[in-house]
C-alpha cells in the first residue's frame, strides 16, 4: 500500500475512533482518578481549562476530560494547548484511560515508561509537541494499542523491538515513516516483520 493511502486510512481510523469515544457523563469522578487529575492540573497549570479539574466537579464540566458512567476517566483530549511541561507519572493512576490525545500542546520531556502499562490504552496521539528521548520498551505492554502517533516531536534513538508484539496496532505507519526513516535510514526492528501489512 502506498504511503499516501496508508496515511489516509490512518486518519479515517482515528476519526471513526473519536466518533465512538465515550461521552462525558454527569457523574462525579472517582477518587483515585480525581487524585491523578488534580496532580495533572498542578503540573499543567498553564493549560486553559485545567482549573476545572477539581474535586466536586462533575466530569461533564471538566475541560478536555471524558468519563464513563462509573466516573472513570477514559479520555483526555487537548488540542493546541499551552502545557509547556512533561507528562507526570501520576497519569498512570487513570487505569481506565483508553484515549490520550494531546496534540500541538508544547509537551516536553520524555515519554513515561509506565504510560504504556495502562491496561486499557487504545489510542495515543502526541503529535506536534516537544517530546525528547526514545520510545520506551514498555510500549510492548500496551497490547490493545491501535494508534501510536508521535510525529513532529524531537524523539531520538531506534524503535524498540517490543513494538513487534503489538498485533492490534494499525496506525504505526506515520511513526515508521517519520521516525524510522529519519533516524535509522529506513531500517526497522526484525520483530516488526510480523506486523500485518496495514500496520507498516
Amino acid at each position: 500500500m502506498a504511503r499516501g493511502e496508508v496515511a489516509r486510512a490512518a486518519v479515517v481510523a482515528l476519526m471513526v475512533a473519536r466518533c465512538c469515544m465515550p461521552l462525558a457523563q454527569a457523574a462525579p469522578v472517582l477518587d483515585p482518578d480525581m487524585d491523578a487529575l488534580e496532580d495533572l492540573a498542578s503540573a499543567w497549570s498553564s493549560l486553559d481549562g485545567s482549573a476545572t479539574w477539581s474535586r466536586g466537579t462533575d466530569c461533564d464540566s471538566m475541560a478536555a476530560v471524558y468519563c464513563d458512567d462509573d466516573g472513570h476517566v477514559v479520555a483526555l483530549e487537548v488540542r493546541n494547548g499551552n502545557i509547556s511541561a512533561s507528562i507526570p507519572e501520576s497519569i498512570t493512576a487513570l487505569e481506565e484511560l483508553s484515549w490520550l490525545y494531546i496534540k500541538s500542546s508544547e509537551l516536553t520531556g520524555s515519554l513515561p515508561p509506565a504510560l504504556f502499562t495502562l491496561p486499557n490504552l487504545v489510542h495515543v496521539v502526541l503529535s506536534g509537541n516537544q517530546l525528547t528521548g526514545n520510545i520506551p520498551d514498555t510500549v510492548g505492554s500496551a497490547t490493545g494499542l491501535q494508534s501510536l502517533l508521535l510525529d513532529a516531536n524531537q524523539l531520538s534513538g531506534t524503535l524498540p523491538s517490543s513494538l513487534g508484539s503489538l498485533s492490534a496496532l494499525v496506525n504505526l505507519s506515520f511513526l515508521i515513516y517519520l521516525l524510522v526513516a529519519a533516524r535509522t535510514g529506513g531500517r526497522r526492528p526484525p520483530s516488526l516483520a510480523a506486523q500485518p501489512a496495514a500496520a507498516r
Side-chain angles (χ1 to χ4, degrees):
M1 183 181 292
R3 281 198 298 268
E5 294 175 346
V6 172
R8 286 192 294 272
V11 170
V12 170
L14 281 174
M15 291 176 64
V16 170
R18 187 177 185 277
C19 290
C20 298
M21 187 174 64
L23 298 177
Q25 304 293 325
V29 179
L30 295 177
D31 284 343
D33 289 42
M34 194 65 249
D35 291 341
L37 283 178
E38 288 183 334
D39 191 74
L40 286 170
S42 177
W44 298 348
S45 58
S46 61
L47 175 64
D48 293 338
S50 63
T52 65
W53 301 355
S54 58
R55 205 170 297 274
T57 304
D58 286 339
C59 189
D60 60 354
S61 299
M62 294 183 181
V65 177
Y66 298 82
C67 301
D68 62 16
D69 292 331
D70 298 321
H72 297 106
V73 174
V74 295
L76 293 175
E77 182 172 350
V78 178
R79 298 169 182 266
N80 302 311
N82 54 337
I83 291 175
S84 300
S86 61
I87 303 174
E89 290 281 348
S90 55
I91 197 171
T92 60
L94 301 175
E95 295 185 352
E96 298 298 322
L97 189 69
S98 64
W99 176 278
L100 180 61
Y101 186 108
I102 304 178
K103 187 174 182 179
S104 303
S105 297
E106 301 180 24
L107 273 179
T108 61
S110 58
L111 291 165
L115 172 65
F116 297 103
T117 65
L118 285 170
N120 297 294
L121 206 57
V122 177
H123 301 287
V124 174
V125 180
L126 301 175
S127 306
N129 288 291
Q130 300 169 25
L131 295 169
T132 57
N134 58 8
I135 300 172
D137 192 60
T138 51
V139 68
S141 301
T143 54
L145 197 63
Q146 296 179 15
S147 303
L148 178 60
L149 303 185
L150 302 172
D151 53 288
N153 279 285
Q154 300 171 29
L155 296 169
S156 59
T158 58
L159 291 173
S161 60
S162 60
L163 276 171
S165 65
L166 300 181
S167 59
L169 200 60
V170 294
N171 291 340
L172 179 62
S173 56
F174 285 171
L175 185 62
I176 288 181
Y177 178 60
L178 295 173
L179 181 61
V180 177
R183 303 289 184 184
T184 66
R187 297 186 302 275
R188 60 176 181 264
S191 58
L192 286 180
Q195 286 286 350
R200 295 179 184 175

